[in-house]
Amino acid sequence: MKKVHRLCPYLDTINRQVLDFDFEKLCSVSLSRINVYACLVCGKYFQGRGTNTHAYTHSVAESHHVFLNLQTLKFYCLPDNYEIVDSSLDDIKYVLNPTFSPKHISLLDTCDKRSRAIDGTLYLPGIVGLNNIKANDYCNVILQALSNVTPLRDYFLDERNYAKVKRPPGDSVFLLVQRFGELMRKLWNPRNFKAHVSPHEMLQAVVLWSGKKFQFTEQGDPIDFLSWFLNSLHRALNGKKSRHSSIVYKTFMGSMRVKTRKIPPVELDEKQRYSLLCTDEYAEHVSESPFLYLTCDLPPPPLFKDEVMENIIPQVSLYSLLTKFNNESEKEYKTYKENFMKRFEITQLPPYLILYIKRFTKNTFFVEKNPTIVNFPVKNVDFGDILTPEVKAAHKNTSYDLIANIVHDGEPNKGTYRVHVLKQGNSKWYEMQDLHVSDILPQMITLTEAYIQIYKLRTDR
């Protein structure tokens, strides 16, 4: 029997202003996730559509008649219970589940066309504010920075890339991948109803899969979140140890050689020290180590400030921080009992390089912040200078351009985070702090207390 679709007289009651599909898809009465419908008149979620269900009761009590099934993306008129088929509703379907064709994805980095939200606000797809639910700005800056890393973004915008990833039965960590994909598609949606996105579902998955290590009710550290998030995505995509086993490692993984030697105790005399140094225990040991980001140590800030020094903020060049990885500089590491000297030699540079500038030091009593300003160029940072000649010869390109810069402002344990992002389509820089998005001059970025930076390898030479 052929289904007859009736014309619905209630389509003009739909209020697109109140529709928000960023929140968890659960019934506002029973809190169930099964068979949930959105009322397109008031924006609330209800379960079921048969008689005595919450959606049915709502439609009768409030005279709200148009509903959307959040799973099947089909529209229904209640309480009459017939399906509505009307192309004028396609924009609502697209906001709930934005899709991107390969052609659309390939044009994202060349386009700088602004989109208009329902309230008339203009926004740039990809450069979109994220809602701060309570204290999740440390997650927001990471998600906004990662959404502008081209290979990662392109992979997650096309759901087909990870639709066939097989996970063991009962394993639901894959939800993290799906939620990140949904968030990416919402951030880059050119037809959104509002000029910002709420990362609510993404953060719910983060809280769940980090075992509540990362919350959105208390401030966390972006570098801890970044490290956990990239490794969790890699594992959920069935990634192994090799560089090409997932999009995460393919994009960010580099490798280095770590040369470690043990230091003899200070209280020994020359002869005893010399005899110890000849043993295998005190010889230099070499190990290969992959990395997703490089940790740069800031020089300690001056201890005493006189009246003249009060206004002087200590500064250091990025290149002097990078000498840690030139295979010559040694750094001392202390454990509870022993001391070691380590040298680092980068053997493989990744396509996208993450630098973590270590600003916070924890001692027994409190956390201290180092306010040293790092001077860095925004373009053409040559990492070839810290490579050994053999490694440099193996790299075709060693110059990088900055594409994202995360900044910490304020006190060590409180403070807030913001991110500067380069929009590839128009080569302009934007500053994003939760919902606030504004353009910024590249010269201003270098004056901030940079905390995490993402660099993109130049391949134009």
Side-chain angles (χ1 to χ4, degrees), residues 127-143:
I127 308 292
V128 177
L130 278 176
N131 219 346
N132 190 346
I133 297 160
K134 188 174 179 196
N136 53 285
D137 52 333
Y138 75 100
C139 294
N140 286 357
V141 288
I142 294 293
L143 296 170

Side-chain angles (χ1 to χ4, degrees), residues 59-99:
S59 76
V60 174
E62 303 289 335
S63 291
H64 293 175
H65 299 290
V66 191
F67 289 78
L68 165 64
N69 183 315
L70 297 173
Q71 195 67 44
T72 63
L73 306 187
K74 288 183 177 177
F75 297 89
Y76 293 92
C77 182
L78 296 183
D80 300 358
N81 201 2
Y82 60 86
E83 188 183 341
I84 305 164
V85 177
D86 195 305
S87 58
S88 69
L89 301 173
D90 287 350
D91 61 331
I92 297 174
K93 215 185 281 188
Y94 192 84
V95 167
L96 174 58
N97 184 29
T99 51

Side-chain angles (χ1 to χ4, degrees), residues 241 243 253-260 285-291 327 343-348 391:
K241 284 186 176 179
R243 177 177 282 109
M253 185 187 258
S255 57
M256 62 164 80
R257 243 175 239 128
V258 184
K259 298 170 183 180
T260 313
H285 296 279
V286 181
S287 60
E288 293 288 336
S289 171
F291 66 85
N327 195 31
R343 285 189 295 145
F344 302 94
E345 178 194 355
I346 293 177
T347 52
Q348 175 77 50
V391 174

Side-chain angles (χ1 to χ4, degrees), residues 401-414:
D401 290 342
L402 185 70
I403 60 159
N405 179 53
I406 292 169
V407 177
H408 179 267
D409 300 308
E411 299 293 309
N413 277 334
K414 303 166 198 158

Side-chain angles (χ1 to χ4, degrees), residues 376-442:
F376 55 89
V378 174
K379 282 191 163 179
N380 236 339
V381 183
D382 193 358
F383 284 80
D385 302 343
I386 58 168
L387 302 179
T388 56
E390 309 86 70
V391 174
K392 191 173 180 180
H395 284 77
K396 190 180 170 191
N397 299 301
T398 55
S399 287
Y400 284 78
D401 290 342
L402 185 70
I403 60 159
N405 179 53
I406 292 169
V407 177
H408 179 267
D409 300 308
E411 299 293 309
N413 277 334
K414 303 166 198 158
T416 53
Y417 291 95
R418 55 198 164 104
V419 62
H420 302 121
V421 166
L422 175 69
K423 171 81 169 133
Q424 314 268 352
N426 58 11
S427 299
K428 282 185 184 170
W429 281 91
Y430 294 88
E431 179 175 274
M432 292 189 274
Q433 186 162 19
D434 299 329
L435 293 175
H436 306 289
V437 178
S438 57
D439 36 13
I440 185 171
L441 292 168

